[in-house]
mmCIF file of all heavy atoms in Angstrom:
data_model
loop_
_atom_site.group_PDB
_atom_site.id
_atom_site.type_symbol
_atom_site.label_atom_id
_atom_site.label_comp_id
_atom_site.label_asym_id
_atom_site.label_seq_id
_atom_site.Cartn_x
_atom_site.Cartn_y
_atom_site.Cartn_z
ATOM 1 N N LEU A 754 186.786 73.409 1.822
ATOM 2 C CA LEU A 754 188.216 73.151 1.633
ATOM 3 C C LEU A 754 188.551 71.690 1.941
ATOM 4 O O LEU A 754 189.340 71.052 1.225
ATOM 5 C CB LEU A 754 189.032 74.075 2.527
ATOM 6 C CG LEU A 754 188.966 75.569 2.196
ATOM 7 C CD1 LEU A 754 189.649 76.390 3.286
ATOM 8 C CD2 LEU A 754 189.619 75.841 0.843
ATOM 9 N N ALA A 761 190.483 64.432 -3.350
ATOM 10 C CA ALA A 761 191.786 63.996 -3.851
ATOM 11 C C ALA A 761 192.181 62.651 -3.249
ATOM 12 O O ALA A 761 192.773 61.800 -3.932
ATOM 13 C CB ALA A 761 192.845 65.048 -3.531
ATOM 14 N N LEU A 815 172.537 59.782 -8.465
ATOM 15 C CA LEU A 815 172.134 60.477 -9.683
ATOM 16 C C LEU A 815 173.333 61.073 -10.416
ATOM 17 O O LEU A 815 173.475 60.934 -11.635
ATOM 18 C CB LEU A 815 171.131 61.580 -9.354
ATOM 19 C CG LEU A 815 169.723 61.129 -8.943
ATOM 20 C CD1 LEU A 815 168.902 62.322 -8.490
ATOM 21 C CD2 LEU A 815 169.029 60.417 -10.106
ATOM 22 N N ALA A 903 200.092 65.114 28.958
ATOM 23 C CA ALA A 903 200.455 66.006 30.063
ATOM 24 C C ALA A 903 200.150 67.467 29.722
ATOM 25 O O ALA A 903 199.589 68.208 30.539
ATOM 26 C CB ALA A 903 201.935 65.837 30.399
ATOM 27 N N ALA A 920 186.216 85.280 31.564
ATOM 28 C CA ALA A 920 184.969 85.220 30.804
ATOM 29 C C ALA A 920 183.767 84.902 31.677
ATOM 30 O O ALA A 920 182.637 84.885 31.187
ATOM 31 C CB ALA A 920 185.085 84.185 29.677
ATOM 32 N N ALA A 984 183.552 65.689 23.129
ATOM 33 C CA ALA A 984 183.468 66.899 23.948
ATOM 34 C C ALA A 984 182.015 67.295 24.195
ATOM 35 O O ALA A 984 181.667 67.776 25.285
ATOM 36 C CB ALA A 984 184.225 68.042 23.277
#
Side-chain angles (χ1 to χ4, degrees):
L754 293 171
L815 288 173

